[in-house]
Amino acid sequence: MPAEELEKQYSPSRWVIRMEAEEALRTFVQIGSQATTMARATRRSRLNVPYGDGEGEKLDIYFPDKATEAWPLFVFFHGGYWQNGSKDESAFMVNPLTAQGVAVVVVAYDIAPKGSLDRMVDQVTRSVVFLQRQYPHNEYVGIYVCGHSAGAHLAAMVLLAHWTKHGVIPNLQGFLLVSGIYDLEPILSTSQNAPLHMTPEDAERNSPQRHLEVIPVQPVHPSCPVLVVVGQHDSPEFHRQSREFCETLRQVGWKASFKELSDVDHFDIIENLTQEEDVLTQIILKTIFKK
């Protein structure tokens, strides 16, 4: 694919049809910031909880209203092409999910240029390890991992993590990968790689699509459901990557499914999680509560 076309395919805002590209980006940040401000004002929470020793290794936990001994943990990794975004503007789904008895965790990680891809993958993996150790009473309720865009890539890497070296195997009960990239090789030829400084070796090592055949020693149980989601107005390359990743998951024995959500793009597919009646919000709740 010519470099110019690759640049277009991997520029999600250029595929938004409801508004101009720059406005779509601004709106996304605005809605995320407003949702986070509201969540912090209206929900019980623990903010900036360190899950490691690094300055950027923090997470926010938002608790359900009902005081119970155990609740499902919904863990969210934000997007932003591994170089933008923050947990402080990513609590889109907190109010609808906590209202239904789900605890929501929004994880920060060191974005580029401070953080390398290897570091980001290690950080999000350790955040899950921390949560399993911090809330062992949730063992029978489970952890559900969700990521958007670059965060979906990180969530997919968590799916393939080698847990034995971390000394704990988290009770992962479901993965939701939203509008992600699972083979990083095409990014090498785009402007998105400028702050990442990603080499072909980095791309190979951190492409979950290329490592599915090599099952880790103690992976997530293959019966754990993995839902790969893409928006109707995501680019053809995002559609291709999502379909191929889902197909490869199935081929090697994972319980994976693919869903294209109609009438949404790369941004409002997540913005709409502020609404309990949203299609994706309902999918999340049905996945957690096995309805």
Side-chain angles (χ1 to χ4, degrees):
M1 189 180 295
E4 184 178 344
E5 182 60 25
L6 266 179
E7 187 72 24
K8 179 181 177 183
Q9 289 286 332
Y10 286 94
S11 298
S13 61
R14 293 171 68 174
W15 298 85
V16 176
I17 62 174
R18 59 194 167 95
M19 58 179 66
E20 294 297 320
E22 289 301 317
E23 185 182 357
L25 292 168
R26 286 195 304 270
T27 300
F28 183 75
V29 173
Q30 181 181 20
I31 291 175
S33 297
Q34 290 173 345
T36 304
T37 298
M38 181 177 292
R40 291 176 175 177
T42 59
R43 291 294 188 257
R44 287 192 304 120
S45 63
R46 291 179 61 197
L47 303 178
N48 298 309
V49 179
Y51 63 83
D53 297 329
E55 182 183 348
E57 296 176 357
K58 304 285 199 304
L59 52 80
D60 296 338
I61 310 172
Y62 301 88
F63 298 99
D65 293 333
K66 295 179 181 178
T68 60
E69 288 194 0
W71 8 256
L73 281 171
F74 182 86
V75 182
F76 183 68
F77 305 139
H78 68 79
Y81 257 133
W82 307 278
Q83 59 201 270
N84 293 298
S86 161
K87 72 176 177 60
D88 299 324
E89 55 193 39
S90 298
F92 297 92
M93 71 297 296
V94 165
N95 279 10
L97 295 191
T98 54
Q100 297 299 317
V102 180
V104 177
V105 182
V106 186
V107 179
Y109 52 91
D110 286 326
I111 57 177
K114 180 179 181 180
S116 66
L117 274 173
D118 291 303
R119 179 168 176 78
M120 295 178 218
V121 170
D122 178 63
Q123 286 177 323
V124 297
T125 303
R126 285 190 289 109
S127 76
V128 174
V129 170
F130 168 82
L131 289 166
Q132 180 67 47
R133 287 178 170 152
Q134 184 79 3
Y135 296 104
H137 58 278
N138 288 52
E139 175 64 28
Y140 299 106
V141 186
I143 297 172
Y144 298 80
V145 177
C146 175
H148 171 236
S149 196
H153 159 266
L154 295 174
M157 292 298 285
V158 168
L159 178 68
L160 301 177
H162 291 253
W163 298 110
T164 46
K165 73 175 185 179
H166 295 285
V168 63
I169 301 176
N171 182 24
L172 295 162
Q173 291 293 312
F175 282 77
L176 178 64
L177 311 177
V178 184
S179 296
I181 298 174
Y182 311 104
D183 182 353
L184 304 185
E185 191 273 335
I187 303 298
L188 293 170
S189 303
T190 72
S191 62
Q192 305 295 351
N193 194 36
L196 295 171
H197 304 294
M198 183 169 54
T199 66
E201 293 74 22
D202 295 332
E204 170 71 27
R205 189 170 56 252
N206 289 290
S207 289
Q209 173 70 40
R210 302 185 179 208
H211 294 281
L212 283 174
E213 289 83 359
V214 186
I215 300 296
V217 177
Q218 287 185 303
V220 177
H221 196 280
S223 65
C224 174
V226 182
L227 178 58
V228 184
V229 181
V230 69
Q232 178 183 349
H233 302 300
D234 267 309
S235 77
E237 271 293 279
F238 273 80
H239 279 256
R240 178 189 67 80
Q241 288 237 9
S242 295
R243 287 185 183 278
E244 289 185 1
F245 187 60
C246 182
E247 288 168 7
T248 308
L249 280 166
R250 287 175 179 162
Q251 288 168 7
V252 296
W254 296 85
K255 185 182 176 183
S257 55
F258 172 84
K259 188 171 185 63
E260 176 188 312
L261 293 188
S262 61
D263 301 322
V264 291
D265 54 52
H266 193 82
F267 303 97
D268 60 353
I269 195 172
I270 291 294
E271 293 168 7
N272 293 346
L273 290 178
T274 57
Q275 306 160 26
E276 188 170 330
E277 67 275 10
D278 172 61
V279 173
L280 192 54
T281 305
Q282 289 301 310
I283 288 172
I284 292 168
L285 290 170
K286 287 175 183 177
T287 300
I288 292 174
F289 294 111
K290 312 294 192 294
K291 293 180 180 177

